[in-house]
Amino acid sequence: MSEPNILLKVENLKMHFPAESTWFGKPTRFVKAVDGLDFQIEAGKTFGLVGESGCGKTTAGKCVLRIFEPTEGKIYYQGTDISRLTDSQLKPYRRNIQLIFQDPYGSLDPRQSVGSIVREAVLADGKKRLDLDVKARVEELLTLVELDPSMAGRYPHEMSGGQRQRLGIARALACDPKLIVCDEPVSALDVSIQAQIINLFESLQKKLGLTYLFIAHDLAVVRHIADTVAVMYLGHIVEMMDAGELYANPMHPYTKALLSAVPITDYYTEQKRSRIVLEGEVPSPIHAPSGCPFHPRCQFATELCKTQAPSLKDQGGNHLAACHNL
Amino acid sequence: MKRKMKVFFNRGILSGICFVIVVLLIFVAVFAPVLAPCDPNVNDLRNVVKGISGEHLLGTDYLGRDVLSRILYGARISLYTSILAGALSAVLGILLGLVAGYFGGILNQTIMRMTDAILAIPALIFTLVLASALGGGVLSIVISIGVSLVPTYIRMVNGQVLSIKESDYVTAGKLIGLKNIRILLKHLLPNCFPSLIVLFTMNLGQGIMLEATMSYLGVGIAPPTATWGAMVSDGYSYLTTAPLLSILPGICIILVVVAFNVVGDGLRDALDPRLRGKL
Ligand SMILES: Nc1ncnc2c1ncn2[C@@H]1O[C@H](COP(=O)(O)OP(=O)(O)O)[C@@H](O)[C@H]1O
Ligand code: SF4
Ligand SMILES: [Mg+2]
């Protein structure tokens, strides 16, 4: 059978921001926000990236979008390495990869009406179109995200959080993207709205064959929408598996700890499960710990963990984890 | 438009009064030749420093010129110079500020250091020196006031652009493939607009103040042209006998400067879509 159709492949992706520098501007310390990511996303699938705030999820997403030029590593989009392309070389790929923002309001120009925001995105590819076609396309996009086309004259401040996020999605879709990076797209929304937006993402994926890099800190959201899940800690992927395995068979102590913070609705299961409580703060990525990045907070840490970093190893059945004690 | 007006006029009585003052100033400036009872520059040495009378509603000055007519014509000069200077500085300052803020790097460094250097000199001194170097006259006043106000626009636009260009909607604009020029003109500039309107109107006040001060010091527009600054200066010697000669143009200056500031604030709210419909 044919190879799975890999839309995005990331190899050894690193993004280090200069943190301190000498008087002459030569950086001496770095924030290792992303420190060696390897993953790939099959076309039409959803790849979930989870982890606590500050672990480098947004930075990884912005590298894929080429908002940042990564310090190291390769980003293959449909087989082409886009990690080092210049702005003008990126042009043919720009509109193929879009972003849905965590803060929908901040992602919309407050002085632009709904219609104008979508129209601008439609027209930004520079192709000549009839006014009539543009108008029809704008209406089609608004309908696609379940916004009433009669809202075209409104402004972002007159909309609800959910409507703003729908508008952000419509703008992204106006570019006919293949890959959409969703950076915690529902975390700023009311719980009651979150499910609606998640459902919208799913139905759009079915209709348009979209591929998602779905970033979240909420495991329940990710398990629901993702096909594959990667758990990040301090710039590293510590575990990667099929979404079903996340709850059924977590292996890494950090993943287990994250899961025990999620409430289980069934009372008896809740009583029986053992809780691992995360102690301490996430260390700053400037002072990243030696060895396993998780060792200062890990209750299973041994001497080996303090000196040697575990690598991401296949534990069977497409399930990767980076821990010495497996 | 209706909603914009509503926001503007819902700001209370002070706003309304100041708006009327600005409108009045513009009206007077435009129609001075029609409104003025006498020629502002005709001397009448038999009637010097006369008080209020039927013939001269606000009296006459030390050369017997009609004070009312001179105030009306003075409004013209004040508005004319400050609008020209304001437009000059706004165009230059906005352009430099946008470019410096958006493209950054060495260009930004150069523009901002020059701005700091000019701002380190008090505006009045800078304008005075520049005006005397340019040799007086309306044009040189306009240029020197204009140039001295440029840094205020650069500073403001630069600061705004630096913060707005990091915003998510500018990122989104780049991702959908907008050209730099479109981001600059369609997203950055309009979002600087509210603050720019305020700055522009306040600078109109500042411009009138600078022009008046220069005329008062005798560096400005040459006599016998009627300007408020020169009138304050001329009337100074008669402060005890005929205080109105200085006080009337002085009040005009203050009223107009304050009015421009208040109206600027009102415009900012009216132009902000987030405030529209709230009141
Ligand atoms: N532009 C930047 N310059 C310097 N440090 C940054 C920058 N962006 C992110 N960081 C740092 O990188 C780390 C990861 O941030 P981020 O990717 O936003 O995490 P997450 O999205 O998982 O919350 C944080 O410590 C953050 O302070
Ligand atoms: S390698 Fe050691 S410190 Fe790291 S997660 Fe495994 S047991 Fe814990
Ligand atoms: Mg983030």
Side-chain angles (χ1 to χ4, degrees), chain A residues 65 67 94-95 97-99 101 103 105-112 120-121 124 155 157-158 171 175, chain B residues 3 167-169 171-172 174-179 182 186-187 190-191 193-194 271-274 276 278:
Chain A
L65 288 154
I67 294 170
R94 258 282 164 250
R95 286 167 63 90
I97 313 178
Q98 288 298 310
L99 173 63
F101 294 82
D103 167 21
Y105 193 35
S107 78
L108 304 168
D109 186 338
R111 316 199 134 250
Q112 231 182 340
E120 183 177 52
Y155 283 85
H157 72 271
E158 298 168 317
R171 172 177 59 194
C175 303
Chain B
R3 276 149 127 198
S167 71
D168 282 349
Y169 60 82
T171 304
K174 287 183 189 159
L175 289 175
I176 61 174
L178 294 183
K179 298 199 172 70
R182 175 152 181 118
K186 280 279 178 178
H187 296 287
N191 280 290
F193 221 71
L271 290 172
D272 188 336
R274 279 157 293 197
R276 237 177 276 153
K278 283 264 169 66

Side-chain angles (χ1 to χ4, degrees), chain A residues 21-318:
Chain A
S21 50
T22 62
W23 282 12
F24 307 105
K26 191 173 170 348
T28 51
R29 277 200 124 110
F30 294 91
V31 180
K32 299 183 175 174
V34 169
D35 204 20
L37 297 190
D38 291 277
F39 63 87
Q40 58 184 34
I41 313 179
E42 211 179 306
K45 300 280 183 187
T46 301
F47 183 84
L49 199 55
V50 284
E52 285 166 287
S53 168
C55 71
K57 307 180 296 292
T58 298
T59 307
K62 287 190 170 172
C63 288
V64 169
L65 288 154
R66 276 308 313 278
I67 294 170
F68 293 148
E69 175 167 354
T71 317
E72 229 183 287
K74 298 209 158 39
I75 301 163
Y76 295 100
Y77 173 78
Q78 290 187 321
T80 314
D81 180 13
I82 59 167
S83 63
R84 303 284 150 217
L85 298 187
T86 60
D87 276 353
S88 55
Q89 291 171 320
L90 267 174
K91 237 184 184 161
Y93 305 100
R94 258 282 164 250
R95 286 167 63 90
N96 289 345
I97 313 178
Q98 288 298 310
L99 173 63
I100 306 298
F101 294 82
Q102 179 169 10
D103 167 21
Y105 193 35
S107 78
L108 304 168
D109 186 338
R111 316 199 134 250
Q112 231 182 340
S113 69
V114 171
S116 149
I117 288 173
V118 181
R119 193 177 319 113
E120 183 177 52
V122 170
L123 292 171
D125 63 1
K127 292 195 185 117
K128 286 262 175 296
R129 287 185 184 80
L130 293 175
D131 283 351
L132 216 66
D133 294 344
V134 175
K135 194 164 176 281
R137 176 78 176 132
V138 170
E139 280 184 12
E140 180 194 8
L141 286 163
L142 289 178
T143 316
L144 203 56
V145 298
E146 293 155 24
L147 284 177
D148 193 330
S150 68
M151 290 184 82
R154 297 229 195 138
Y155 283 85
H157 72 271
E158 298 168 317
M159 304 170 91
S160 70
Q163 289 172 330
R164 288 174 194 156
Q165 197 56 296
R166 287 173 194 275
L167 178 55
I169 298 170
R171 172 177 59 194
L173 293 179
C175 303
D176 279 323
K178 297 216 166 53
L179 175 64
I180 300 188
V181 177
C182 311
D183 190 0
E184 308 201 25
V186 296
S187 66
L189 303 177
D190 288 349
V191 180
S192 55
I193 310 294
Q194 290 188 355
Q196 295 176 14
I197 300 292
I198 295 286
N199 290 340
L200 176 64
F201 276 119
E202 288 187 316
S203 80
L204 288 173
Q205 184 167 44
K206 278 205 201 89
K207 269 186 220 161
L208 306 170
L210 298 170
T211 308
Y212 294 136
L213 170 54
F214 199 97
I215 298 172
H217 63 244
D218 182 343
L219 289 166
V221 167
V222 170
R223 188 190 60 156
H224 180 80
I225 195 167
D227 299 296
T228 309
V229 176
V231 180
M232 264 185 92
Y233 188 77
L234 274 183
H236 300 267
I237 291 179
V238 295
E239 185 163 10
M240 185 151 60
M241 71 223 111
D242 292 342
E245 289 266 289
L246 174 67
Y247 278 50
N249 184 23
M251 290 184 181
H252 195 280
Y254 178 63
T255 313
K256 289 182 182 167
L258 279 183
L259 282 168
S260 24
V262 180
I264 297 177
T265 35
D266 179 45
Y267 177 76
Y268 295 100
T269 328
E270 172 76 51
Q271 289 301 301
K272 272 185 280 172
R273 78 166 166 176
S274 60
R275 278 185 170 271
I276 302 177
V277 180
L278 268 179
E279 278 164 15
E281 291 282 306
V282 188
S284 143
I286 311 183
H287 308 285
S290 62
C292 173
F294 189 50
H295 87 253
R297 297 168 83 191
C298 181
Q299 58 188 104
F300 309 105
T302 59
E303 278 308 308
L304 179 65
C305 305
K306 289 182 187 158
T307 52
Q308 205 177 330
S311 57
L312 205 56
K313 280 203 217 68
D314 197 339
Q315 314 288 343
N318 262 337

Side-chain angles (χ1 to χ4, degrees), chain B residues 183-261:
Chain B
I183 293 180
L184 273 172
L185 297 181
K186 280 279 178 178
H187 296 287
L188 291 172
L189 192 56
N191 280 290
C192 294
F193 221 71
S195 336
L196 280 173
I197 289 283
V198 181
L199 186 62
F200 185 80
T201 28
M202 287 183 178
N203 272 349
L204 284 183
Q206 170 85 353
I208 289 176
M209 197 72 185
L210 282 172
E211 180 271 316
T213 313
M214 286 199 289
S215 299
Y216 175 85
L217 293 173
V219 198
I221 293 148
T225 311
T227 74
W228 291 347
M231 288 173 73
V232 174
S233 163
D234 292 343
Y236 194 67
S237 338
Y238 307 91
L239 210 51
T240 44
T241 49
L244 280 185
L245 283 185
S246 279
I247 290 176
L248 278 176
I251 289 176
C252 289
I253 296 171
I254 293 169
L255 279 182
V256 165
V257 171
V258 170
F260 270 120
N261 281 311

Side-chain angles (χ1 to χ4, degrees), chain B residues 47-51 59-64 238 241-242 245:
Chain B
N47 283 315
V48 295
V49 201
K50 282 274 159 59
T60 59
D61 71 358
Y62 73 108
L63 291 175
Y238 307 91
T241 49
L245 283 185

Side-chain angles (χ1 to χ4, degrees), chain B residues 81-96:
Chain B
T81 48
S82 70
I83 284 183
L84 280 184
L88 175 73
S89 56
V91 169
L92 284 178
I94 292 171
L95 201 73
L96 289 170

Side-chain angles (χ1 to χ4, degrees), chain B residues 48-70:
Chain B
V48 295
V49 201
K50 282 274 159 59
I52 290 167
S53 68
E55 195 184 345
H56 299 288
L57 282 178
L58 295 178
T60 59
D61 71 358
Y62 73 108
L63 291 175
R65 296 174 296 198
D66 183 51
V67 171
L68 178 60
S69 304
R70 286 183 73 73

